[in-house]
Amino acid sequence: MVSIAQAMALVLGEVGRMGTERVPLAGASGRILAEVVHAPFDVPGFANSQMDGFAARATDLARARETAPVALPVTATVAAGRPLESPVEPGTCVRIMTGAAVPPGADTVVPIEDAVAEGAMVRFTAPSPPGRFVRPAGEDLACGEAILQRGRCLRPPDIGVLASIGCVEVPVSLRPRVAIVGTGDELVPIGRPLGPGQIHDSNAYTLAAAVEALGGVADRLGIVADDRESLRAMLQEAARYDCVLSTGGVSVGDFDYVKEVMDELGLRRRFWRVAQKPGKPLTFAAQPGCLYFGLPGNPVSAMVCFHLYVAPALRASLGRPDIFPATVEVTVAEEMRTAGSLMELVRCRLEREGDRLTARPTGTQSSGALRSLSLADALVLSPPGQDRLRAGDRALALRLHPAEALSTAHPFG
Ligand code: AMP
Ligand code: MG
């Protein structure tokens, strides 16, 4: 038996980097950038007005006062996208629109609200320093600057940043292809009626959804019976994937053949059993180009192992720097009895109470009760040697859905 830290290290030690591909910009959101991106030119490429108003020379306005306005002739109007070729001569100004190029000569913009137009003249009643309401070239992105790092999970504004430099195709990591196999004589696919003693294969669907959420491509290969030959054939077929997730058949039952079959196939098995609850029977093997996770059959155990080991491995293979589960410090809301000898991960709902997050168990902690995981926001850790979490204790928790808000409250209400 290994610790969680040892199991994580053994898994991560086997992870290889996915290759790369180029995808159209519009399809790149959520993908992992495979190369650093530099700005090929300044954005904006020219100094432009931040306001609708008048562009002038700051020196011409230096003496403008409420009591002694400076009046200048308006010699042109500059619209966005239609730059003026000729400079703004001393003692003159131009009307300018937001986003329009500030013409040569002019170095300041006075908003329309602060000036008084009178026929062909405009009166200024205050000075306007150089650079005021002028967005300089390269204000957003400077030519040559590294603007997005390799390994970044591209967010919507990143897509816009790439568009602003005219990027048509983005180099991203290939999505890992993950085979999912359910093992067990009791399993029946959805869409077929359940006979006596049978259950639906839910793991394949939970895992496929989790793989896709991380940017992988999941293939459900179906259900294999608890017999060595079928299992061997299925694992052999799955070897062409980047990663194989089987569930069930890794425990000490009479028909638990997954470990044996992995060994018969010559897969390098790195560990069996981790000092954790749920998910203790996990086994893991590697082969060049393919990781094999023999996940336990219990639905909660399978998913806890996914969060602890499979998700970090997939993130690492994509080249992300943030591979480990997101953590948060919580306050335990009510006493929870825990395993004592193992690291227990307690399914909890998190709630914001003032400036702290409280954690309350979602009900039965049976590793077969998937709803308790469906209701949970986090797994609260109870380290080995500790047989309970007490109300008021501070504890570390792994967030299951870190992108979700923990409150329905109006932030400005
Ligand atoms: P095992 O790890 O094969 O001993 O299975 C442990 C428990 O998980 C048993 O109650 C199985 O019926 C259940 N189980 C195994 N595979 C699945 C699956 N694909 N979907 C839902 N439950 C499963
Ligand atoms: Mg089984």
Side-chain angles (χ1 to χ4, degrees):
M1 188 142 74
V2 295
S3 68
I4 293 181
Q6 288 168 325
M8 276 183 161
L10 288 166
V11 168
L12 293 173
E14 299 293 343
V15 174
R17 276 291 297 271
M18 296 299 300
T20 65
E21 64 176 329
R22 301 183 79 82
V23 296
L25 180 62
S29 187
R31 300 295 300 269
I32 310 301
L33 194 60
E35 291 166 18
V36 58
V37 176
H38 294 94
F41 48 78
D42 279 347
V43 176
F46 50 92
N48 66 91
S49 179
Q50 201 177 327
M51 291 289 190
D52 296 317
F54 298 92
R57 294 170 176 258
T59 50
D60 286 342
L61 306 183
R63 267 189 276 279
R65 299 287 180 274
E66 194 77 51
T67 49
V70 169
L72 301 178
V74 183
T75 58
T77 296
V78 205
R82 297 176 185 276
L84 202 65
E85 298 288 298
S86 51
V88 173
E89 298 298 343
T92 72
C93 68
V94 294
R95 263 181 92 83
I96 193 162
M97 308 301 141
T98 305
V102 174
D107 60 358
T108 193
V109 170
V110 177
I112 207 156
E113 303 87 321
D114 297 346
V116 186
E118 280 174 347
M121 302 290 284
V122 60
R123 267 196 295 144
F124 300 94
T125 53
S128 183
R132 188 155 180 261
F133 295 125
V134 176
R135 300 187 282 219
E139 178 189 56
D140 190 9
L141 313 174
C143 179
E145 185 188 358
I147 52 174
L148 290 167
Q149 293 301 328
R150 179 168 183 249
R152 180 172 181 89
C153 180
L154 293 171
R155 304 166 175 171
D158 300 339
I159 301 301
V161 165
L162 291 168
S164 72
I165 59 163
C167 177
V168 174
E169 284 191 327
V170 194
V172 296
S173 296
L174 284 165
R175 303 175 66 182
R177 301 187 58 241
V178 181
I180 297 170
V181 179
T183 78
D185 289 344
E186 74 279 32
L187 300 180
V188 174
I190 59 170
R192 292 236 218 108
L194 295 175
Q198 295 184 322
I199 58 169
H200 284 305
D201 170 13
S202 63
N203 286 343
Y205 288 90
T206 326
L207 290 168
V211 165
E212 300 272 346
L214 280 172
V217 181
D219 261 358
R220 285 176 288 99
L221 301 189
I223 295 166
V224 266
D226 287 317
D227 95 85
R228 283 195 185 79
E229 275 62 52
S230 322
L231 197 54
R232 188 181 302 123
M234 186 66 105
L235 289 186
Q236 270 171 326
E237 184 196 334
R240 58 197 168 88
Y241 287 83
D242 300 306
C243 178
V244 181
L245 307 178
S246 68
T247 64
V250 285
S251 204
V252 290
D254 291 348
F255 310 101
D256 288 344
Y257 298 129
V258 171
K259 299 187 300 297
E260 277 172 49
V261 170
M262 282 179 168
D263 294 345
E264 284 167 25
L265 287 172
L267 309 179
R268 246 172 349 103
R269 217 144 55 69
R270 306 309 314 275
F271 62 81
W272 173 49
R273 294 203 292 196
V274 188
Q276 68 179 62
K277 181 185 174 195
K280 185 168 101 176
L282 171 71
T283 191
F284 170 72
Q287 182 90 323
C290 188
L291 306 176
Y292 292 80
F293 292 89
L295 303 172
N298 273 307
V300 177
S301 311
M303 279 313 289
V304 167
C305 291
F306 184 93
H307 283 290
L308 288 176
Y309 310 105
V310 183
L314 294 180
R315 291 192 202 101
S317 75
L318 285 161
R320 292 181 68 142
D322 55 336
I323 60 175
F324 296 113
T327 58
V328 66
E329 208 192 22
V330 298
T331 303
V332 174
E334 63 189 63
E335 175 154 311
M336 313 174 203
R337 301 298 298 257
T338 57
S341 55
L342 308 166
M343 174 74 82
E344 183 154 349
L345 302 101
V346 187
R347 283 147 261 168
C348 286
R349 203 195 309 258
L350 301 184
E351 258 170 73
R352 202 165 277 293
E353 275 180 24
D355 57 359
R356 31 177 236 180
L357 280 179
T358 58
R360 207 176 287 281
T362 52
T364 169
Q365 295 292 309
S366 154
S367 54
L370 188 54
R371 196 167 124 76
S372 63
L373 186 63
S374 151
L375 291 170
D377 302 305
L379 301 170
V380 176
L381 304 184
S382 177
Q386 193 172 306
D387 67 355
R388 73 195 63 201
L389 292 163
R390 291 186 179 74
D393 278 358
R394 304 289 279 163
L396 193 66
L398 310 183
R399 286 205 55 190
L400 294 166
H401 313 288
E404 289 180 11
L406 288 171
S407 157
T408 54
H410 191 320
F412 304 103

